[in-house]
Amino acid sequence: MNKETIKKFRNIKTPFYYYDLDILNSTLDILKEESANSGIKLHYALKANPNPRILKQIADYGLGADCVSWNEIDAALKAGIEPSEIVFAGVGKSDEEIENAVKADIFCFNCESIPEMEVINEIASKQNRVTRIALRINPLIEAHTHKYITTGIEESKFGINTWELEDVVKKLKDLQFIQLIGIHFHVGSQITQMSVFQSLCSRINELQEWFSSRNAPLRVINIGGGLGIDYENPENQPKFKEYFSLVKKFIQLKPGQELHFEPGRSVVGQCGSLISRVLYVKPGSNTLFAVLDAGMTDLIRPALYQAYHKIENLTSDGKKLRYDVVGPICESSDTFGKSVYLPETHRGDFIAIRSAGAYGEAMASRYNLRPLPQAVFSDDLQK
Ligand SMILES: *Cc1c(COP(=O)(O)O)cnc(C)c1O
């Protein structure tokens, strides 16, 4: 963030999310180039950030959408994403959501259980429309990330277990209004160990053989999302090239098969920062507290997942001191960082919490009856 930008922050009510659309563009440039090189189809996971301006830019780049509610599908459609580019995931899709999505004729439901398949079939039959599904399979892979964002292990509620697949394939024969087109996976989020994706590819290769032996052809292999970003170095772009080439190297596709991905965090994480003002600096027993006007209601990741975000003081260049950077909410977990070294910090200083473009604004709440944080875009400030 340059000095001019920071100067303009003075006229804006804090806290707010600041989105640098140039950064988003360069991330999308890299993503597009690397995915095109590898013949990959992309569905942006809206839940990371469904802000309409951000979504519009992503839609303009030609990405499809991965949605987990009807409202997300609706937002994707409004941003100009075609129904044929939209997939619908989630372990608890409601009847109403399924009805709407069948009617919209989306590309595919990523199904998580036999009861869900039955409900989709019934609803599709009432509309006399054949609906495409992929099976979300729990691959039993440890994602080596925080336990709250691991989704592909045995105790997880997500996906269909491999021991159920025999029943699933049998059941499909009775369900005339759903057509199996592929298999889908999503093992977790903020995954930084590439070997996790290599293990996933091996599992997929085994499963492919199983489906072949049951004469169930699969057109779509959907790897899901999960690529991590570098929270320590917010200037770094995600490693799309390494990620896609690793998957291409280890996965064994059959003729005519398409490879799909659902990146969320990696698309939007680095373009957003939460900007706040320091309300008070007060001494603790062995630290100084910098109390911000932003709290866990604006950015819940540190409280929810013990997540790290880089914290910067944008307006002080004094000598460095050690602070616990906290919010105003009545919860002890309302802490953005402990023992953070910042230039000597005063009331009124601007603090940036970096890499907050994903699962930031999207997860904001009104706890304590606080207002929701506003979004400010780089090109608004240039006017
Ligand atoms: C959340 C989610 C994603 C996106 O995950 P990221 O870690 O943000 O890339 C993709 N697919 C599914 C099914 C998801 O639930």
Side-chain angles (χ1 to χ4, degrees):
M1 268 162 266
N2 60 37
K3 290 228 161 63
E4 284 308 302
T5 305
I6 295 167
K7 239 187 239 165
K8 291 188 173 147
F9 288 170
R10 301 210 172 274
N11 305 321
I12 305 171
K13 185 177 178 296
T14 46
F16 61 91
Y17 276 91
Y18 174 69
Y19 294 111
D20 187 325
L21 296 178
D22 293 333
I23 295 178
L24 178 59
N25 271 334
S26 48
T27 308
L28 286 165
D29 280 336
I30 304 169
L31 179 60
K32 270 238 79 158
E33 185 181 337
E34 296 305 336
S35 61
N37 284 345
S38 303
I40 284 166
K41 298 214 177 200
L42 298 170
H43 305 271
Y44 167 62
L46 257 78
K47 74 179 192 288
N49 192 327
N51 182 296
R53 285 281 298 276
I54 302 245
L55 201 51
K56 182 76 179 47
Q57 194 149 326
I58 291 170
D60 289 347
Y61 265 79
L63 273 71
D66 164 40
C67 301
V68 291
S69 70
W70 167 254
N71 286 347
E72 283 193 357
I73 297 176
D74 195 40
L77 292 169
K78 288 193 171 114
I81 297 175
E82 294 293 327
S84 60
E85 304 290 325
I86 296 176
V87 298
F88 187 10
V91 55
K93 303 173 186 80
S94 75
D95 293 24
E96 192 185 347
E97 290 178 307
I98 294 171
E99 265 165 41
N100 289 338
V102 170
K103 198 177 288 166
D105 200 20
I106 61 165
F107 175 62
C108 175
F109 286 79
N110 291 329
C111 279
E112 306 224 7
S113 65
I114 293 180
E116 181 192 331
M117 283 163 42
E118 290 170 337
V119 171
I120 296 174
N121 184 70
E122 192 190 320
I123 290 171
S125 81
K126 282 187 193 142
Q127 297 186 26
N128 199 23
R129 213 188 257 277
V130 175
T131 296
R132 292 158 299 277
I133 68 155
L135 301 173
R136 175 170 180 174
I137 299 173
N138 182 349
L140 301 180
I141 299 231
E142 173 54 63
H144 300 293
T145 180
H146 190 272
K147 64 177 188 298
Y148 287 179
I149 47 177
T150 293
T151 56
I153 56 172
E154 189 143 23
E155 67 202 55
S156 170
K157 71 176 177 182
F158 295 104
I160 297 170
N161 289 301
T162 45
W163 46 261
E164 286 178 282
L165 285 177
E166 200 78 67
D167 289 343
V168 168
V169 169
K170 235 183 253 155
K171 189 84 209 172
L172 275 167
K173 296 210 170 71
D174 304 332
L175 303 177
Q176 300 294 316
F177 287 87
I178 58 180
Q179 180 201 3
L180 177 68
I181 62 163
I183 48 179
H184 171 246
F185 304 85
H186 175 69
V187 292
S189 201
Q190 186 49 21
I191 296 168
T192 49
Q193 288 182 26
M194 287 291 167
S195 59
V196 170
F197 295 111
Q198 187 179 336
S199 310
L200 177 59
C201 289
S202 311
R203 286 297 283 136
I204 293 174
N205 295 340
E206 288 166 23
L207 284 161
Q208 286 248 55
E209 290 318 308
W210 186 89
F211 279 92
S212 288
S213 72
R214 299 299 186 285
N215 278 323
L218 305 170
R219 172 158 66 89
V220 172
I221 308 295
N222 186 335
I223 306 282
L227 178 65
I229 63 170
D230 188 348
Y231 281 97
E232 316 270 334
N233 299 291
E235 319 299 331
N236 286 356
Q237 290 284 358
K239 296 181 174 163
F240 292 120
K241 186 176 181 155
E242 202 180 330
Y243 175 47
F244 292 146
S245 47
L246 177 130
V247 170
K248 290 285 284 187
K249 180 168 168 204
F250 290 102
I251 202 149
Q252 290 157 6
L253 291 183
K254 300 193 181 291
Q257 277 185 335
E258 297 168 6
L259 199 51
H260 292 227
F261 283 77
E262 300 169 339
R265 183 191 311 272
S266 54
V267 183
V268 290
Q270 300 294 38
C271 76
S273 296
L274 177 61
I275 308 294
S276 67
R277 281 184 174 89
V278 176
L279 289 174
Y280 306 103
V281 177
K282 68 172 211 174
S285 55
N286 59 2
T287 184
L288 286 166
F289 288 107
V291 184
L292 308 186
D293 62 6
M296 62 189 281
T297 53
D298 307 296
L299 176 65
I300 202 176
R301 299 190 65 258
L304 189 60
Y305 313 127
Q306 298 158 316
Y308 171 84
H309 284 266
K310 187 170 182 186
I311 300 172
E312 293 171 348
N313 185 323
L314 301 178
T315 43
S316 164
D317 50 13
K319 80 170 197 308
K320 292 214 165 171
L321 296 174
R322 189 163 56 89
Y323 297 91
D324 281 6
V325 180
V326 301
I329 315 294
C330 309
E331 298 287 341
S332 298
S333 60
D334 184 29
T335 296
F336 290 114
K338 280 191 186 291
S339 296
V340 182
Y341 283 86
L342 294 175
E344 186 166 3
T345 293
H346 314 88
R347 173 174 167 82
D349 283 354
F350 278 89
I351 300 288
I353 302 175
R354 303 291 307 275
S355 310
Y359 306 106
E361 190 187 354
M363 292 177 109
S365 80
R366 293 212 51 212
Y367 182 43
N368 286 195
L369 276 188
R370 284 165 58 82
L372 291 172
Q374 300 300 303
V376 173
F377 296 88
S378 50
D379 58 357
D380 291 338
L381 293 187
Q382 278 150 22
K383 280 173 200 153

